[in-house]
Amino acid sequence: MDKKERAKEKKEKRRQEISLLRTIPYSDHQRWWSSETIAVVTGANRGIGFEIAHQLASHGVTVVLTSRETAVGEEAVKVFQEGGLNVAFHQLDIVDPVSIQTFCDWIKETYGGLDILINNAGVNFNFGKDNSVEFSEMVIQVNYFGTKNIIKALTPLMRPSPAGSRIVSVTSRLGRLNGKRNGISNVAVREQLENVDSLSEEVIDKTMNTFLEQVKDGTWESGGWPHVFTDYSLSKLAVNAYTRLMARIFEKRPEGQKIYVNCYCPGWVKTAMTGWAGHVTIEEAADTAVWLALLPDQFVSGKFFAERREINF
């Protein structure tokens, strides 16, 4: 058996292990949540977000499903409600300040806040071997700046609890700083983003804006950026970095007001975003997000996961 076959066998074994773990119900003493626990899932009208909402609601959490388009969001919620699950809908465009404020006001008025935030909304315009940067501004704006907008807007509404509030962002291994095939080869930029003690929002923003400036002047290919799905990979790298930054900031919060923030890679999933070319099922893709959101007695923050295991940034 060669190296590739062994890796494939190992991966399949892990998939089977997780599939078994998903069938084991949480015990009463593990369940820190109830039907009064509020989870917001962005971009949840289809794909991974839809399945995350489904799994959280199946565990008894009240889920607020959001999408940019009202009609598709309302249709998605009907599916859940017909199945007896407690899922509500509200429109949310994560790059529109008015939409964000309207949503925050509604969450506060309707539920008094939230306990879980799943940042799933995102876009990608490359498939297969494509690496166009034609839509790079939109990709960075939605995937990074939009996600950051939502975390900032909803953090003040995260409700205090002994178990802590949870934030989980859907990112990608493509956004790893030191990826063997897709890392950042610009050493100065990589070192700035690696050092969590000096990492700042300004550093992350500047990195994204430098890339966008290079796209405009045509020099991005010599910038030392990831060479696979460059704009998407960078947007996810930025969310990974922001996750580490926010974990450092949140750790200063007092007991009872803790917020645990992590990110995870769902894998190459069979969804519209991958042109249905993925090999991971939607149920498998949603699993780690739900597992992180509901972790009973393990307070983990500022980490990157895949298949319920921590991986390197």
Side-chain angles (χ1 to χ4, degrees), residues 243-244 247 261-264 300-305 310-311 313:
T243 297
R244 291 159 63 226
V261 56
N262 295 287
C263 52
Y264 90 105
V300 176
S301 199
K303 304 296 184 183
F304 189 19
F305 291 86
E310 186 181 343
I311 60 176
F313 281 100

Side-chain angles (χ1 to χ4, degrees), residues 4 16 20-21 36 55 70 80 93 99 125 154 162 167 199 203 214 221 228 242-243 267 269 274 277 288 291 298 310:
K4 199 172 182 180
Q16 289 174 5
L20 178 62
L21 287 170
E36 293 183 3
Q55 291 186 25
T70 299
F80 291 127
D93 183 341
S99 174
F125 295 94
L154 290 178
I167 299 175
L199 186 63
V203 166
Q214 290 180 3
E221 287 179 291
V228 177
Y242 193 68
T243 297
V269 192
T274 64
T288 297
W291 172 72
Q298 187 179 350
E310 186 181 343

Side-chain angles (χ1 to χ4, degrees), residues 108-120:
K108 190 173 183 180
E109 186 179 330
T110 309
Y111 300 108
L114 72 157
D115 307 283
I116 297 168
L117 169 62
I118 310 288
N119 292 304
N120 169 74

Side-chain angles (χ1 to χ4, degrees), residues 153-299:
L154 290 178
T155 292
L157 301 180
M158 302 295 267
R159 302 192 294 193
S161 77
S165 300
R166 318 291 173 92
I167 299 175
V168 181
S169 295
V170 182
T171 67
S172 173
R173 282 187 179 95
L174 288 173
R176 292 168 93 168
L177 279 167
N178 293 297
K180 287 179 182 176
R181 291 176 296 175
N182 208 44
I184 286 193
S185 59
N186 184 318
V187 177
V189 172
R190 190 172 70 234
E191 287 178 350
Q192 273 195 315
L193 293 169
E194 271 179 330
N195 189 337
V196 72
D197 294 325
S198 61
L199 186 63
S200 67
E201 186 178 337
E202 290 73 26
V203 166
I204 306 169
D205 288 1
K206 185 182 176 184
T207 304
M208 295 305 104
N209 289 326
T210 297
F211 166 69
L212 292 175
E213 284 164 14
Q214 290 180 3
V215 168
K216 285 176 184 172
D217 65 27
T219 61
W220 67 274
E221 287 179 291
S222 59
W225 309 114
H227 57 268
V228 177
F229 295 2
T230 302
D231 53 7
Y232 179 81
S233 298
L234 272 175
S235 71
K236 295 303 186 179
L237 183 150
V239 176
N240 288 348
Y242 193 68
T243 297
R244 291 159 63 226
L245 172 64
M246 293 312 294
R248 194 185 80 208
I249 292 168
F250 287 153
E251 73 181 3
K252 297 167 187 168
R253 294 172 72 96
E255 290 299 324
Q257 295 179 35
K258 294 290 188 185
I259 299 176
Y260 302 102
V261 56
N262 295 287
C263 52
Y264 90 105
C265 175
W268 197 240
V269 192
K270 293 175 188 171
T271 63
M273 188 176 276
T274 64
W276 307 102
H279 51 77
V280 176
T281 69
I282 207 78
E283 293 81 12
E284 291 168 335
D287 174 75
T288 297
V290 175
W291 172 72
L292 281 169
L294 299 181
L295 273 178
D297 47 18
Q298 187 179 350
F299 301 132

Side-chain angles (χ1 to χ4, degrees), residues 92-104 149:
L92 176 61
D93 183 341
I94 65 172
V95 293
D96 179 355
V98 174
S99 174
I100 293 170
Q101 188 58 57
T102 301
F103 179 75
C104 288
N149 291 344

Side-chain angles (χ1 to χ4, degrees), residues 58-169:
S58 298
H59 282 299
V61 173
T62 295
V63 176
V64 177
L65 178 156
T66 80
S67 74
R68 188 166 48 85
E69 296 177 28
T70 299
V72 293
E74 288 175 341
E75 283 302 310
V77 163
K78 279 181 191 174
V79 174
F80 291 127
Q81 291 175 344
E82 285 167 5
L85 296 175
N86 196 1
V87 181
F89 169 74
H90 198 282
Q91 190 275 343
L92 176 61
D93 183 341
I94 65 172
V95 293
D96 179 355
V98 174
S99 174
I100 293 170
Q101 188 58 57
T102 301
F103 179 75
C104 288
D105 292 344
W106 177 81
I107 277 283
K108 190 173 183 180
E109 186 179 330
T110 309
Y111 300 108
L114 72 157
D115 307 283
I116 297 168
L117 169 62
I118 310 288
N119 292 304
N120 169 74
V123 294
N124 174 41
F125 295 94
N126 284 308
F127 300 99
K129 294 184 178 179
D130 298 345
N131 193 27
S132 167
V133 291
E134 182 183 353
F135 301 104
S136 58
E137 189 150 358
M138 185 188 296
V139 171
I140 301 291
Q141 284 296 332
V142 173
N143 295 0
Y144 168 57
F145 288 104
T147 297
K148 185 174 74 161
N149 291 344
I150 293 304
I151 291 174
K152 283 188 169 186
L154 290 178
T155 292
L157 301 180
M158 302 295 267
R159 302 192 294 193
S161 77
S165 300
R166 318 291 173 92
I167 299 175
V168 181
S169 295

